[in-house]
Amino acid sequence: MTLLKFEQNRPLDFIALGRLCIDLNANEINRPMEETRTFTKYVGGSPANIAIGMSRLGAKTGFIGRIADDQMGRFIHSYLEQNNIDTSCVVTDRSGSVTGLAFTEIKSPEECSILMYRDNVADLKLSPNDISEAYIQQAKALLISGTALAKSPSREAVFLALDYARKHRVVVFFDLDYRPYTWSSREETAIYYKLAAEKCDVMIGTREEFDLVEYFDSAAQRNDERTANKWFDYQAKIVVIKHGKNGSIAYTKDGKKYEGSIFPAKVVKTFGAGDAYASAFIYGLMQGWEIPKCMEFGSASASIVISSHSCSDAMPALQQIQEYIAQYKAEKH
Ligand SMILES: Nc1ncnc2c1ncn2[C@@H]1O[C@H](COP(=O)(O)OP(=O)(O)OP(=O)(O)O)[C@@H](O)[C@H]1O
Ligand SMILES: O=C(O)C[C@@H](O)[C@H](O)C(=O)CO
């Protein structure tokens, strides 16, 4: 059974939609942010990280989003172009908005947190008028991420993009990407996530994120198999549930279940794992690889990124992941 049908002969492989932000990662690691003094600036935002990862792997990648009319916005725009990401649908917001900032605290390799400054951010000013049907029609796949559903008009922009994607047989990936700072209630989150999830072909999220989406469906909560079957009743063909250092589980609509293991990492910080996993997993699916190979690729990419100080800068190229896997297997035998 062919789970996903990617239309061929399209100018773009992959379009990501959502936030383009800045990560400010503490340079003084293994201590609380109260004691840090300097930070390194990277492009951030989950969908941005995933798009950068896809482009590094060789996918022809575009982006739909808004950036602030300031130095940070221009920094992001340049970085996307340096990484061969099409920016024709990256709009500069001129309403006085700012760039979302994610200050990251690395108290220890396993104890990391993110302090997000997201008041009046440009990314949530994305509007339906920014969504081009002709642009989406050019792509094989579209990624949406949950945080873009948090406020209007970005919320409406996402739903319009979903309608265009379904109309033009663009495969839709939904990275749940829940960030509490941007939502006013769990009920609101669950309702809007569900409305979007019903239109998506592949869902990727942590157990906690799926529990949020299933807030009104206690039977599915905390039960991976019920979660997967719930979404197979809509458009979903693949549901991936990430479990941190315990790996990941993928369910497919044809009744199969796959358990993904991890690559032992020299962890610098844990965040970035999900975006790295998603980009490599999606890339593998678009190459027509079997699910286990896609999961292996995703896990290897995640292990590389969490062993690095950054997320976007550390997103690995194709050969880097291949060599990482080969070296791991060689050392194992
Ligand atoms: N400590 C770890 N060591 C090795 N691999 C890991 C580790 N943590 C996560 N991974 C890999 O990364 C994948 C995604 O990580 P996780 O489940 O933490 O997602 P996430 O919460 O979305 O990540 P993020 O912290 O970037 O938001 C896991 O399924 C696993 O394959
Ligand atoms: O998604 C965010 O806004 C934060 C990211 O920029 C950061 O790199 C991260 O947490 C990735 O998981």
Side-chain angles (χ1 to χ4, degrees), residues 145-161:
S145 72
T147 298
L149 295 163
K151 281 191 173 38
S152 297
S154 170
R155 177 179 283 170
E156 290 78 11
V158 172
F159 286 112
L160 182 58

Side-chain angles (χ1 to χ4, degrees), residues 7-40:
E7 296 296 328
Q8 296 308 304
N9 306 318
R10 290 195 171 177
L12 288 172
D13 295 320
F14 179 82
I15 294 174
L17 184 155
R19 69 185 175 290
L20 293 158
C21 296
I22 290 290
D23 283 354
L24 291 166
N25 292 6
N27 291 324
E28 297 85 9
I29 63 174
N30 302 328
R31 68 188 70 179
M33 205 183 298
E34 288 85 346
E35 297 170 18
T36 61
R37 299 296 301 273
T38 66
F39 298 84
T40 300

Side-chain angles (χ1 to χ4, degrees), residues 110 179 206 242-245 247-248 261-263 265 267 270-275 277 299 302-303 306:
E110 299 299 328
R179 304 285 171 170
T206 63
K242 302 174 288 185
H243 289 278
K245 59 188 171 188
S248 54
S261 55
I262 65 167
F263 287 81
V267 182
T270 52
F271 51 86
D275 298 342
Y277 181 98
S299 299
S303 185
I306 62 177

Side-chain angles (χ1 to χ4, degrees), residues 19 21-23 25 42-47 49 101-102 104 114 116 118 147 177 179 269-275 310-312:
R19 69 185 175 290
C21 296
I22 290 290
D23 283 354
N25 292 6
Y42 303 106
V43 165
S46 179
N49 291 334
L101 302 178
T104 64
I114 295 180
M116 282 188 150
R118 286 189 58 73
T147 298
D177 169 44
R179 304 285 171 170
K269 50 113 180 69
T270 52
F271 51 86
D275 298 342
S310 82
C311 292
S312 53

